[in-house]
Structures are given as structure tokens and as C-alpha cells.
Amino acid sequence: MGGDTPSTIFGSADNSGSNDTTNKNVEHLPMPSRNPLPLSASQEAQVRDIFYARVRKQCTEEIKAFAECALGRTFSVPFACREPHRVMNSCMKLHANQAEQDAAREEWFALRMERVRERERKARRKAEQEAFLREWWGLPEKDREEARKELEKMNQKERVGGYVGNNRLRDAANNEKKSRILEQARLERDGIDRDLHT
């Protein structure tokens, strides 16, 4: 997946729930680097969903066999379907490895453009529906400042690595203030010590 230009792969699908991308051109971006980038919790959850879908795709036959065995059973499933369950679990354990996790992460990075387009489509649809409802009920139009903020939010790019939390910014400011106070106290103490020794 190296290179600077995006590649197009035919027949790929985004496994995060949208089935409308099958049999379409899906633009893939290259992986930013081979070193794992820190992702936010929701981004890691998306990568995990892709990983689980990839593993399930490789073990479809075993999963179907277990599901057919378990169909119509309740308490007897652990006893009656022990062998299909073992086969299914061993297949999933075999394919749930680090290479598959890396491939899922690369697929997540490759489908960034598709997620951006989906987010823009949803934001446009939301704005259209809100404008229709305001017109229908005779409500006043949105405040310009509020509309500008929503437009800025819609135009923001997806940030890899998450956002710095407000508490972290506050903690950084507090730590800087504490270090200044400690430095000042140390200088005062050293100044007093020098005065005592002279």
C-alpha cells in the first residue's frame, strides 16, 4: 500500500456498516507509515470491527456449520454442537493474528476518503432536513454564528490520533504554573541559603 498516489480498488466494501459501496470504485489512500499511529477510542473500535469482519469472512463455512447445528436448540447447544464449535473457534483463532490486525488497520486508513464523503453526505442531508422543518413550522432561520460553526465543523478533516481533551490542556497549564512556582521557590530558597552562607 505504499506510494504517494491514491489507488482505486474495484469491488471493495467498507465493512463499517454501509453496503452501498459494493461493486463501486472505492478510492484508497496509502498507509501514512508502517509505525502504528495512535487512534482515538472510536477509531480503534472501527479498526476492530474491520478486523472482526475480516476474520469472520475467512471462517464463513465453519460459522455456518455451527449456526446450522445450533438452530432450534437451547440448552443442548454446548453438548450437541461441541465439535462444530471447536472447529469454528480454531479457525477464528488461526486467522485472528497480528498480520490480520495490521491489514485491518491499513484498510481503515485506506478508506478515509470514503468516510469523509459519507460524513459530508450525512451533514448535507441533516442541513436540508433542518431547513425544511424550519420552513414547514415557520421557525426563524438559524443564527449566522451557529450556522458558521456547523459549517466549520463539517469542513474539519478527520484527525488521526484523536483530539487533546480539555482536561489535558488544563492539566498542562496547571503543570506549567506549578513548575514556575516550584522554580521560584527553589530560587528563593537558594537565594536565602546564599545569604546565610555569606
Side-chain angles (χ1 to χ4, degrees):
M1 295 228 81
D4 292 13
T5 59
S7 62
T8 304
I9 296 180
F10 298 96
S12 297
D14 182 8
N15 293 328
S16 63
S18 66
N19 292 331
D20 58 326
T21 57
T22 54
N23 300 328
K24 287 185 179 179
N25 295 343
V26 178
E27 187 176 342
H28 283 225
L29 293 177
M31 182 83 165
S33 72
R34 295 302 295 165
N35 296 332
L37 292 171
L39 300 176
S40 67
S42 62
Q43 292 169 338
E44 285 292 346
Q46 292 170 356
V47 171
R48 215 173 14 258
D49 290 342
I50 293 171
F51 169 67
Y52 293 153
R54 290 175 65 93
V55 171
R56 283 193 304 267
K57 187 176 181 182
Q58 292 177 349
C59 298
T60 52
E61 294 301 319
E62 291 83 356
I63 293 172
K64 281 181 184 177
F66 176 71
E68 287 171 1
C69 177
L71 187 66
R73 300 177 193 262
T74 54
F75 294 110
S76 63
V77 169
F79 310 109
C81 303
R82 182 169 288 158
E83 189 55 33
H85 185 256
R86 282 187 185 153
V87 171
M88 178 185 73
N89 275 351
S90 63
C91 175
M92 293 177 94
K93 284 179 185 178
L94 177 70
H95 294 292
N97 53 25
Q98 188 61 42
E100 202 59 41
Q101 285 181 349
D102 293 342
R105 182 177 282 263
E106 285 184 14
E107 184 177 337
W108 184 87
F109 276 107
L111 293 172
R112 282 180 290 176
M113 296 304 294
E114 188 65 27
R115 285 192 304 275
V116 167
R117 282 193 288 273
E118 181 69 19
R119 190 177 70 202
E120 289 172 354
R121 186 188 64 77
K122 285 182 180 179
R124 277 195 306 274
R125 179 77 174 137
K126 178 185 173 189
E128 290 169 1
Q129 288 176 342
E130 189 172 334
F132 173 75
L133 287 175
R134 285 184 180 278
E135 182 183 334
W136 179 266
W137 292 104
L139 298 173
E141 289 197 23
K142 268 190 176 177
D143 183 0
R144 287 184 186 213
E145 182 65 22
E146 187 179 336
R148 185 187 60 77
K149 284 181 182 178
E150 281 192 14
L151 185 63
E152 283 179 3
K153 184 177 180 183
M154 188 174 78
N155 290 333
Q156 279 182 343
K157 295 186 179 192
E158 181 179 39
R159 181 179 165 120
V160 175
Y163 292 100
V164 177
N166 290 338
N167 59 345
R168 289 185 186 166
L169 292 174
R170 200 170 38 245
D171 290 345
N174 287 341
N175 289 342
E176 186 178 319
K177 186 177 178 182
K178 285 178 187 177
S179 63
R180 256 189 276 125
I181 291 171
L182 289 173
E183 181 66 24
Q184 189 176 17
R186 187 183 62 77
L187 289 174
E188 288 175 2
R189 185 194 70 216
D190 288 348
I192 293 173
D193 289 347
R194 262 188 251 120
D195 292 342
L196 290 176
H197 292 293
T198 52

